[in-house]
Amino acid sequence: MNSFDWLKDLFTTTDSVAHIALLYAIVIATGVYLGKIKVFGISLGVTFVLFAGIVAGHIGFTAPTPILTFIQDFGLILFVFMIGLQVGPGFFESFGTAGIKLNALAAVGILLNIVVMFVCYLVFFDTSDKSALPMMVGTLYGAVTNTPGLGAANEALNTVFGTGNAPQIASAYACAYPLGVLGIIGATILVRYLCKVKLEKEEERLHSEDSVKANQKPHKMHLEVTNKYLEDKTLLQVHNFLNRDFVCSRILHDGHVSIPNRDTVFHVGDQLFVVCAEADAEAIVAFIGPVIEVDWAQQDQPMVSKRILVTNPSINGKSMASMHFSSVYGVNVTRITRQGMDLFASAGLPLQVGDRIMVVGHEDAVDRVANKMGNSIRRLDAPNIATIFVGIILGIIFGMLPIAIPGMPVPLKLGIAGGPLIVAILIGRYGYKIKLVTYTTTSANMMLREIGLVLFLASVGIKAGATFFNTVVEGDGLLYVLTGFLITIIPILIIGPIARMKYKFNYFTIMGMIAGTYTDPPALAYANSVCSKEAPALGYSTVYPLSMFLRIFTAQLIVLFFCG
């Protein structure tokens, strides 16, 4: 036996575990490294794993189809679930006044992508060919750079055609994807010139808007009680009469500093440390008294301010009022930091694992609160793996529920993409109500999400590799590229000017909205590179959750309604 036969067997024995692990390791590593290469400052990122898989499949470096299918589907489930868990906390909050308009524009953009796809299908393709429309669906999702939608469409096609008989739409996806990335950025730049946008003026607008938004941030000030009406009135009475939400964390009376509670009595000459929303500061000062400087060193016991990390799962979901910080612990909580944002500690605000609360009080009392809250960074570093898999169980069950709709050949199912996505969004937003700790560090979420994505892309690419080059060279590959480009740019050239001219959105916000509508990180990276503010990221995050959901959901609707 040749001394290198073992190496040959490793690469050719397709049903061995070592071969399959080696296949995925080579495809993923190659794709990730090649995806880092930038052309004109733009890279394809981990999506290049799909192309590495196609090459591997084309040269016969493959694995048994059932194994490829399992890894593909499991990767998709993990990917979409972690996306849902991340966007869940902000999903419903994104529908504010401006959020409704941005999400409506995003939804119109998604609808236009689908309309342009059908027009291209009717104009350029033989409608009697049963594989033509499914391949156009693959082109659509390559054009809008949405991999989860490709997975959802693949799954729906297996339901309609039967596993193993469905068209390999990943070929069309791969044809349309590269120009899709470039088209999104190019069309966004074209919107700028169509609307005669000056980037310097847009930056100035953002600066003035930031000044307005600052009014919602926590504002700290020292006040002296000069209003004679407040003499002998309790903190609760003052709070109710003023009808403004504020926290009084310290009071200096007759040379003694104490932590006030609802029954603390005010006297003219008392000095207070007050935290409120900046928008309410002027009214509070006018009612209580002027802003002064206070020497808080005049106190009987050391008073400290400390940020405490909420890591105790039993605290998850409890409101500020239910914790009775003032009456039970003798401390006041003035503000909360959540996901990098400072929030005013209003009575009805629910606490979540991962929050950092600012606690003011005597040192021993603050330490008691820290013990109650957990305050253990190590506990946060450990992922809540049970929550993830409980959510996946619920998501798969929910996704498999058949929904009978008249006119459809088979019942609609949200499937292994839609079901876990919806359940993850709901758990991410409301999990604390059923005592599920959903906190996952950003790095852990990104790691699990990327693992799921590369497993999915590698599997799809390897399966499509056998037929890809025939599809591109001998088939309709160039048509997929052309129609994909049209699907990409036409909706942007419609919704971009509407967002600017009708709704007067800042151009940088529009850039983020377009990137979020297409769920395209390279477009967001480009937007961030030309803007010094957070507007592109805010626009992206506002529409991303709904856009991701609609991309996945409409993929299945199109296939089940029109490809049956």
Side-chain angles (χ1 to χ4, degrees):
M1 182 177 177
N2 191 301
S3 59
F4 288 102
D5 283 347
W6 65 271
L7 186 59
K8 178 182 176 182
D9 290 341
L10 181 61
F11 279 87
T12 57
T13 307
T14 59
D15 57 352
S16 76
V17 174
H19 170 86
I20 296 168
L22 183 68
L23 166 64
Y24 274 91
I26 290 174
V27 167
I28 292 170
T30 303
V32 170
Y33 279 119
L34 291 176
K36 293 179 182 294
I37 298 173
K38 291 186 176 182
V39 179
F40 302 112
I42 301 169
S43 66
L44 294 184
V46 295
T47 307
F48 218 105
V49 172
L50 174 70
F51 297 95
I54 287 173
V55 172
H58 179 69
I59 64 176
F61 188 28
T62 185
T65 300
I67 300 291
L68 293 173
T69 301
F70 166 74
I71 297 176
Q72 169 188 314
D73 291 346
F74 180 74
L76 178 63
I77 290 169
L78 192 60
F79 177 54
V80 298
F81 186 84
M82 297 314 296
I83 285 176
L85 209 57
Q86 180 200 25
V87 304
F91 184 79
F92 298 99
E93 281 74 7
S94 68
F95 298 102
T97 304
I100 289 176
K101 294 177 182 177
L102 287 173
N103 277 289
L105 288 167
V108 170
I110 291 167
L111 179 62
L112 286 172
N113 289 135
I114 296 170
V115 169
V116 174
M117 180 206 74
F118 275 108
V119 171
C120 290
Y121 165 65
L122 294 173
V123 172
F124 294 108
F125 292 88
D126 179 6
T127 55
S128 64
D129 182 357
K130 283 192 174 183
S131 68
L133 185 54
M135 296 301 283
M136 279 305 295
V137 174
T139 305
L140 165 66
Y141 283 93
V144 301
T145 68
N146 186 264
T147 308
L150 171 68
N154 251 330
E155 186 198 355
L157 284 168
N158 286 329
T159 302
V160 174
F161 287 88
T163 303
N165 299 317
Q168 292 294 328
I169 64 173
S171 300
Y173 174 94
C175 289
Y177 189 96
L179 209 54
V181 174
L182 296 173
I184 295 168
I185 296 173
T188 304
I189 295 171
L190 188 54
V191 168
R192 170 185 162 192
Y193 290 102
L194 288 175
C195 299
K196 300 179 180 178
V197 171
K198 302 294 184 184
L199 296 185
E200 299 81 7
K201 290 186 177 180
E202 297 304 290
E203 287 269 7
E204 291 175 8
R205 279 183 61 192
L206 287 179
H207 182 73
S208 61
E209 288 171 6
D210 283 345
S211 299
V212 175
K213 288 177 183 176
N215 288 336
Q216 308 305 317
K217 296 178 181 178
H219 179 70
K220 300 175 289 183
M221 53 189 176
H222 302 112
L223 305 179
E224 181 175 352
V225 179
T226 58
N227 184 352
K228 294 180 181 179
Y229 172 81
L230 302 184
E231 182 70 30
D232 292 328
K233 296 293 191 299
T234 66
L235 176 57
L236 179 61
Q237 288 173 318
V238 175
H239 200 280
N240 291 341
F241 186 86
L242 186 55
N243 198 27
R244 305 277 178 150
D245 212 356
F246 69 92
V247 174
C248 182
S249 62
R250 306 180 197 179
I251 182 169
L252 176 63
H253 175 72
D254 287 342
H256 300 288
V257 177
S258 62
I259 302 293
N261 57 41
R262 58 187 293 165
D263 298 319
T264 298
V265 176
F266 280 11
H267 300 282
V268 172
D270 286 350
Q271 297 176 343
L272 316 174
F273 184 29
V274 171
V275 181
C276 63
E278 190 160 317
D280 295 330
E282 187 176 346
I284 293 171
V285 169
F287 185 67
I288 295 177
V291 176
I292 59 170
E293 290 190 7
V294 181
D295 180 12
W296 294 110
Q298 306 176 58
Q299 48 192 356
D300 302 324
Q301 290 180 272
M303 194 83 71
V304 297
S305 298
K306 186 175 182 180
R307 286 192 179 273
I308 293 174
L309 192 60
V310 180
T311 59
N312 184 352
S314 67
I315 303 299
N316 205 42
K318 290 188 176 181
S319 68
M320 287 290 300
S322 69
M323 293 303 301
H324 305 293
F325 285 109
S326 177
S327 58
V328 175
Y329 298 97
V331 301
N332 278 318
V333 176
T334 58
R335 59 191 182 275
I336 295 171
T337 302
R338 178 175 299 163
Q339 295 179 353
M341 295 178 60
D342 272 348
L343 306 173
F344 176 66
S346 59
L349 185 69
L351 292 168
Q352 295 183 15
V353 169
D355 287 348
R356 290 182 183 272
I357 61 175
M358 176 61 79
V359 181
V360 179
H362 297 307
E363 193 167 5
D364 57 343
V366 171
D367 288 341
R368 285 197 298 272
V369 173
N371 290 333
K372 178 67 175 177
M373 296 296 107
N375 203 34
S376 171
I377 294 178
R378 182 178 297 178
R379 188 179 293 181
L380 281 189
D381 286 340
N384 296 291
I385 201 78
T387 296
I388 294 171
F389 282 97
V390 167
I392 288 175
I393 292 169
L394 296 174
I396 291 172
I397 294 172
F398 183 56
M400 292 299 105
L401 285 175
I403 306 170
I405 298 178
M408 289 185 63
V410 294
L412 172 67
K413 294 180 181 178
L414 293 175
I416 59 170
L421 177 69
I422 292 175
V423 168
I425 289 173
L426 293 174
I427 286 178
R429 178 63 180 85
Y430 299 109
Y432 66 86
K433 291 182 179 292
I434 56 174
K435 306 302 181 186
L436 278 178
V437 178
T438 59
Y439 178 84
T440 305
T441 62
T442 302
S443 57
N445 185 296
M446 287 294 294
M447 175 64 77
L448 290 171
R449 189 200 313 181
E450 292 295 289
I451 288 173
L453 178 59
V454 295
L455 289 176
F456 169 78
L457 289 172
S459 303
V460 169
I462 294 166
K463 288 168 70 175
T467 59
F468 176 76
F469 289 95
N470 288 337
T471 301
V472 174
V473 178
E474 299 175 9
D476 297 317
L478 291 178
L479 266 182
Y480 297 145
V481 174
L482 170 63
T483 54
F485 186 65
L486 296 176
I487 292 168
T488 300
I489 65 168
I490 291 175
I492 295 176
L493 297 180
I494 294 173
I495 63 168
I498 290 174
R500 176 65 179 181
M501 296 176 180
K502 180 174 176 57
Y503 295 108
K504 310 300 182 185
F505 279 112
N506 189 284
Y507 174 69
F508 296 121
T509 302
I510 294 171
M511 293 180 79
M513 181 266 291
I514 291 171
T517 301
Y518 283 71
T519 63
D520 188 59
L524 175 63
Y526 171 74
N528 283 332
S529 71
V530 297
C531 179
S532 64
K533 305 287 185 181
E534 295 298 314
L538 289 173
Y540 183 91
S541 60
T542 298
V543 303
Y544 179 89
L546 181 66
S547 298
M548 181 63 77
F549 171 75
L550 290 177
R551 293 290 186 196
I552 293 172
F553 190 61
T554 53
Q556 296 177 90
L557 287 180
I558 295 168
V559 170
L560 295 176
F561 266 112
F562 299 103
C563 297

